[in-house]
Amino acid sequence: MGLEVPRPIPFTVVGGYLGSGKTTLINGLLAAGSGRRIAVLVNDFGALNIDAQLIERSDGETLELANGCICCSLAGGFAAALGSVLGRPVPPERIVVEASGIADPWRIAQIGLTPGFILDGIVVMADAETVRSRAGERYVGDVVRGQLSAADIVVINRTDFVDAEERDRTVAWLRELVPDARLLETTFGAVPPEVLLGADRPQTVDRPEAPSGHDHLHESAFASTVLSADEPLDRAALGAFLAGMPPEIYRAKGLVDLADDAERRTDLQLVGRRWSLTPGAPWRDDSPASHVVVIGAAASLAAADLSHQFALCSANVDREVAR
Amino acid sequence: MSSTVVFEARKVITGDPMKPLATHIAVQEGRVLAVGTAEEMTGWGDFAIDRTFAGDVIMAGLVEGHAHAAEGGLWRWPYVGQVARKDPDGGDHAPLLKVADVVGLLHVAEQELRDAAAPLVAWGIDPLLLDDGDGLTADSLDRVSATRPVVILHDSGHALYVNHAALTAVGYDETTAVEGVLKDAAGKLTGGLLEFAAMMPVAIKIMPEFAAVGRSAADLRGFAEVAHLRGVTTVADMGTSWWDVKLADVGLDATADPAFPARLVAVGSVVGVPGMDPDAAVAQWCETRKRSTDKLFLTALKIFADGSIQQRTGRLNWPHYYGMTDHNGIWNQSPDDLARWTLACHKAGVQVNCHANGDEASDAFIDAVSAAMAGATFPDHRHTMQHAQMLTEAQLLKMRALGMAANIFSNHIYYWGDLHRDVLLGPERASRMDPCASADRIGVPYGFHCDDPVSPIDPLFTAWCAVNRLTRSGRVLGADERIPVARALHAATLGAAYILKLDHLIGSIQAGKFADFTVLGEDPLSVAPVDLKDVPRVATVVGGRVFSI
């Protein structure tokens, strides 16, 4: 038996009021598959519109899909669903929870902070047409505002249902309500899985091919780029870099070599406004280096000089001079 | 013709306003053949007379309007609560008011565990009711065991208190950033784990069997035994997974035993109904209902509006919580969802019971019923506000107009009344909680309940709370909402039967109804009202069969 502690399982919460498009988003995620064993915990299978040919097994509580994803009902409660998912012979690579339409995603996200998990973002859906009026409703207004306030990324859905002026008003309203959260506009709940869940499987981020320029994802407005550094990085400088990311950067993920923790890798993760650096596996025979995949709006990614800023995080840079 | 038995009593309190008192009850085939004087029995032919209770007072069987069968299963673990309880075997469990008492009891229980690695699980604690609740820490629980995980479940089910072995077993340490994992000022874990996320690893790794509590025949039997020991002849299990056909089978099997000591009313919960729209689910429930017997009544459905006031999760209208006007609770189902289920039930002729503690939650259910009534006709629906703790005058008036009923939770006055007054709601709203006198004045029918295991099953105690409105500190909370003893006894029998829609069968002693009685050692109408809770429960009679206490 290996002595290494199992990698924490990334845990993502998808929240948002009833009818905001959570189920559509989850459907897209399951259909895309992207080769990961994602376990999706949902309130109601019935609402999911999964291609019957994709379903390999179903026992009433769990659906197994041909692409490796599983879908587990929350009808019996969180403990039962999580216990069942974690107890599978091959545990999932990540867990995505669809919060109920009135749940506070922040409360559910606390599970992602318990041992064995790493909280990998709170994504909250907002219906472009109705979110502002919902937020003013008597019974649920505070619930809707609370959900949005918990978001690392707010997905503004059905933007095709409103004109540009209305959309701008909603964006401005959201910016005031959740100043730090990333806002992402879409239609039909379509968000590339890379944006929702990060760029790569954690295992394959070790040594990504360093591309020149940016890769466009799915011919969309999103793009990814890889930041690399051979010199060890300064923790404080890297933290400042992550905290100061432009608002159109949604995700960053990778393994970095920190000068103050030189014996092992450090997992870097950024989801919207949330970022973390957590100790990873020892370098052993591998030569230490840093590689981070960043995903964001293509235009913004092109404009921001992230590679240069990343290079300045090197522990060998004279901070006073660089400043 | 089968034989007739006549029970003789010092006094029979029938619950029938047109014939309130008697001395004899003739019983045949489990039903009341006649009630009256000895002389009035003679016209019904031969009978055997039973003078077992000749020196006692017989009243209509007490009805517990809203409890949870989980109580029957929790007794597999030691009880460490701050409220006296009787276990299913009749054992008395005195309140533990100091942390040292809790540790002492658990220490004894720990010695009895044979498996050295097995966790020690206990239940029923409420630190707010402990004299030294702040001392309930992982350090103090380490005195029970330093090596074996020790886990105590909060009375509400919303928190755990654990020792260091349990914290270590699930991987909690000073670096843990989960909100509900409590730390002291120095950043050290206290052992308190609040709400589901913080409790989750313990639920999965240490006590996975907990989810099934209350779902076996033995648990249902234990639940009925606990009710029986407090004089109850009918008890409602208000909102468990009675959808599950297997659970209905278990319930039918358990209650078919003639020695099952109470009638069970099973109200299905709509939470956890997988993948069905409300109309389809209600249609399925209507099929399940057809399996009802005289001992297991599969009747209504339950929906859930909010949380609880004492956890500050109840949905309150402004000014919300005392000194926290910007804080409100949570919805368990959205008001839209409540309306959808209420309409589906209303269309199908299924009574709806809505868990609503806060007054905003009550508004949402009143709105739901109002909308359903505009969409379909269901005469005499009796849709019932469950818990109904903060009903206002305006809400009661609307409920009367809509034909709704209330299931009132008067135990709160005693157990949490001081907390409601001083911490949660402030003096004015606390004094109006659980408004029995207002409901009477306005004309909204009501029954009583205890929400067991939240508070113990004991309808005479609940009646005592409504009559005296005394808190644990001895203060009278809302003197104007007090009701007379006779009215409280009605709410604990016929009132509860009415809201369960079983008042044609139980709730009073009248010809044709089930022969369900509660036998008391003293006359509840003659003792001082403050002594009502202490009237001795001697026995129950269910369908003519005597169950001694």
Side-chain angles (χ1 to χ4, degrees):
Chain A
M1 297 291 283
L3 293 173
E4 285 191 19
V5 183
R7 293 184 75 97
I9 301 175
F11 185 95
T12 302
V13 181
V14 177
Y17 194 68
L18 301 159
S20 59
K22 295 186 298 295
T23 306
T24 318
L25 187 85
I26 299 277
N27 273 334
L29 193 64
L30 286 171
S34 29
R36 314 167 203 230
R37 292 192 313 279
I38 305 173
V40 182
L41 275 48
V42 298
N43 289 287
D44 186 1
F45 284 160
L48 287 175
N49 184 21
I50 300 171
D51 184 352
Q53 293 191 321
L54 202 62
I55 299 173
E56 288 207 324
R57 254 190 300 278
S58 167
D59 67 357
E61 297 291 313
T62 307
L63 294 180
E64 292 179 32
L65 307 188
N67 62 16
C69 294
I70 60 170
C71 195
C72 189
S73 164
L74 282 167
F78 269 105
L82 273 177
S84 136
V85 162
L86 296 175
R88 297 177 68 82
V90 187
E93 284 174 284
R94 65 162 54 236
I95 291 175
V96 177
V97 175
E98 179 198 21
S100 92
I102 45 163
D104 176 358
W106 178 244
R107 285 161 63 101
I108 298 170
Q110 299 303 303
I111 297 172
L113 300 173
T114 61
F117 299 108
I118 177 164
L119 178 57
D120 193 36
I122 303 172
V123 177
V124 177
M125 305 286 289
D127 184 286
E129 191 180 28
T130 61
V131 66
R132 279 194 299 147
S133 63
R134 281 282 185 208
E137 275 185 20
R138 180 195 162 190
Y139 288 130
V140 297
D142 63 321
V143 174
V144 171
R145 294 192 301 274
Q147 290 172 344
L148 293 166
S149 302
D152 297 314
I153 297 176
V154 177
V155 176
I156 309 172
N157 192 24
R158 293 171 80 236
T159 51
D160 50 334
F161 277 72
V162 294
D163 59 28
E165 215 173 298
E166 175 66 12
R167 194 174 61 196
D168 289 348
R169 272 198 295 269
T170 298
V171 167
W173 177 81
L174 282 168
R175 286 228 183 281
E176 196 177 342
L177 183 70
V178 225
D180 306 332
R182 305 298 198 258
L183 306 182
L184 193 157
E185 297 175 31
T186 190
T187 56
F188 303 105
V191 180
E194 292 84 352
V195 175
L196 207 55
L197 304 178
D200 271 302
R201 293 191 198 220
Q203 297 91 315
T204 62
V205 181
D206 278 345
R207 281 276 162 197
E209 301 286 316
S212 55
H214 308 128
D215 285 350
H216 278 257
L217 305 167
H218 307 287
E219 302 170 33
S220 69
F222 305 106
S224 71
T225 190
V226 177
L227 310 176
S228 297
D230 290 330
E231 296 179 346
L233 303 179
D234 178 77
R235 185 184 294 271
L238 183 61
F241 168 68
L242 293 172
M245 281 275 193
E248 293 79 17
I249 302 302
Y250 302 109
R251 279 269 176 190
K253 183 175 205 117
L255 294 169
V256 293
D257 173 25
L258 288 184
D260 65 2
D261 200 358
E263 295 303 309
R264 56 185 172 182
R265 298 164 171 85
T266 296
D267 281 300
L268 178 154
Q269 179 169 274
L270 177 142
V271 189
R273 59 178 164 170
R274 173 190 312 280
W275 59 268
S276 62
L277 296 170
T278 46
W283 293 111
R284 296 218 173 94
D285 297 337
D286 294 332
S287 34
S290 299
H291 301 281
V292 177
V293 181
V294 181
I295 298 172
S300 174
L301 213 49
D305 193 3
L306 295 178
S307 296
H308 178 62
Q309 291 180 45
F310 190 65
L312 289 180
C313 296
S314 164
N316 299 333
V317 169
D318 183 334
R319 305 245 91 75
E320 289 307 315
V321 172
R323 206 169 287 152
Chain B
M1 201 176 77
S2 63
S3 60
T4 303
V5 173
V6 170
F7 289 95
E8 181 180 312
R10 170 154 65 95
K11 180 177 183 179
V12 175
I13 302 169
T14 66
D16 171 5
M18 296 298 109
K19 188 179 177 64
L21 300 177
T23 52
H24 291 73
I25 313 163
V27 175
Q28 190 182 87
E29 293 184 351
R31 292 178 185 251
V32 175
L33 182 67
V35 59
T37 61
E39 195 270 324
E40 285 170 329
M41 301 297 109
T42 54
W44 288 98
D46 293 342
F47 59 81
I49 189 131
D50 185 333
R51 293 201 168 85
T52 314
F53 306 124
D56 298 319
V57 174
I58 296 181
M59 64 176 288
L62 292 163
V63 178
E64 170 50 54
H66 176 156
H68 299 283
E71 151 100 47
L74 288 168
W75 288 102
R76 73 191 71 178
W77 297 302
Y79 172 66
V80 291
Q82 286 58 62
V83 174
R85 283 187 192 260
K86 270 186 189 295
D87 65 37
D89 299 322
D92 281 308
H93 297 260
L96 305 179
L97 298 175
K98 296 205 171 344
V99 171
D101 300 337
V102 173
V103 169
L105 186 144
L106 290 178
H107 189 70
V108 173
E110 201 270 341
Q111 306 289 307
E112 290 168 7
L113 286 178
R114 283 184 295 270
D115 178 352
L120 177 63
V121 177
W123 65 283
I125 207 155
D126 183 350
L128 291 173
L129 304 184
L130 280 166
D131 293 341
D132 53 352
D134 290 345
L136 184 70
T137 60
D139 287 340
S140 59
L141 294 179
D142 283 352
R143 301 209 301 272
V144 177
S145 173
T147 52
R148 179 197 300 283
V150 176
V151 179
I152 307 178
L153 180 66
H154 190 281
D155 183 56
S156 68
H158 284 275
L160 298 172
Y161 301 90
V162 307
N163 68 349
H164 282 105
L167 291 169
T168 305
V170 299
Y172 282 150
D173 59 27
E174 271 67 29
T175 67
T176 302
V178 184
E179 267 184 2
V181 177
L182 301 187
K183 295 177 183 174
D184 63 18
K188 215 168 142 300
L189 299 183
T190 69
L193 307 175
L194 306 188
E195 294 298 339
F196 68 95
M199 295 163 66
M200 187 76 52
V202 179
I204 292 173
K205 289 186 183 144
I206 299 182
M207 42 193 290
E209 70 276 53
F210 186 74
V213 164
R215 304 192 58 176
S216 70
D219 290 356
L220 292 175
R221 179 65 174 266
F223 177 54
E225 293 287 356
V226 167
H228 152 68
L229 289 167
R230 302 315 288 163
V232 170
T233 56
T234 296
V235 57
D237 182 25
M238 182 61 67
T240 36
S241 308
W242 287 98
W243 296 97
D244 186 342
V245 174
K246 278 179 289 197
L247 186 57
D249 289 339
V250 168
L252 288 166
D253 194 43
T255 53
D257 181 347
F260 195 88
R263 298 182 202 280
L264 191 58
V265 181
V267 175
S269 161
V270 308
V271 170
V273 178
M276 270 189 283
D277 75 2
D279 287 327
V282 172
Q284 182 181 319
W285 179 246
C286 287
E287 287 303 307
T288 306
R289 289 208 301 183
K290 292 176 184 166
R291 306 179 72 195
S292 292
T293 67
D294 284 351
K295 287 293 275 292
L296 177 64
F297 295 92
L298 298 146
T299 58
L301 287 175
K302 184 183 179 192
I303 57 179
F304 297 78
D306 65 345
S308 76
I309 298 166
Q310 68 270 32
Q311 314 281 334
R312 289 201 184 90
T313 49
R315 287 293 305 194
L316 272 53
N317 283 326
W318 194 87
H320 304 137
Y321 286 88
Y322 196 30
M324 297 174 69
T325 52
D326 58 348
H327 174 82
N328 208 346
I330 58 163
W331 293 104
N332 265 306
Q333 291 180 264
S334 71
D336 288 347
D337 206 30
L338 299 176
R340 205 158 39 241
W341 278 98
T342 301
L343 177 61
C345 288
H346 193 82
K347 281 193 297 190
V350 173
Q351 183 198 26
V352 185
N353 294 278
C354 181
H355 165 118
N357 276 303
D359 49 357
E360 191 188 23
S362 293
D363 272 344
F365 184 47
I366 290 169
D367 285 357
V369 172
S370 188
M373 290 177 69
T377 304
F378 176 11
D380 193 23
H381 53 76
R382 302 186 204 178
H383 296 321
T384 298
M385 193 75 73
Q386 296 288 338
H387 306 321
Q389 296 217 59
M390 295 180 68
L391 290 180
T392 64
E393 189 100 353
Q395 289 173 333
L396 286 163
L397 282 162
K398 273 191 188 172
M399 288 171 64
R400 182 185 67 185
L402 296 171
M404 297 172 67
N407 200 355
I408 294 181
F409 195 176
S410 295
N411 288 13
H412 259 264
I413 301 294
Y414 177 73
Y415 290 120
W416 296 282
D418 295 316
L419 193 66
H420 289 309
R421 183 185 187 280
D422 300 336
V423 178
L424 297 165
L425 300 176
E428 181 203 347
R429 288 181 298 169
S431 72
R432 281 199 246 143
M433 291 183 84
D434 309 298
C436 294
S438 291
D440 278 334
R441 179 164 42 77
I442 290 165
V444 171
Y446 63 88
F448 285 146
H449 72 282
C450 66
D451 202 19
D452 181 74
V454 173
S455 71
I457 298 182
D458 195 351
L460 278 188
F461 176 82
T462 309
W464 175 88
C465 291
V467 165
N468 297 285
R469 293 183 68 92
L470 283 166
T471 68
R472 276 164 55 96
S473 71
R475 169 199 279 150
V476 174
L477 188 63
D480 294 335
E481 288 291 357
R482 289 181 298 192
I483 54 170
V485 171
R487 178 67 188 92
L489 293 183
H490 178 275
T493 51
L494 201 53
Y498 178 85
I499 60 171
L500 296 172
K501 295 193 124 178
L502 293 173
D503 54 309
H504 56 301
L505 296 175
I506 59 170
S508 62
I509 304 175
Q510 279 184 271
K513 286 194 169 184
F514 289 138
D516 291 3
F517 320 130
T518 300
V519 185
L520 303 172
E522 287 176 57
D523 179 1
L525 295 171
S526 302
V527 299
V530 78
D531 294 330
L532 180 60
K533 65 181 167 59
D534 302 317
V535 169
R537 287 72 158 168
V538 173
T540 62
V541 178
V542 179
R545 178 179 169 129
V546 174
F547 292 88
S548 55
I549 293 175

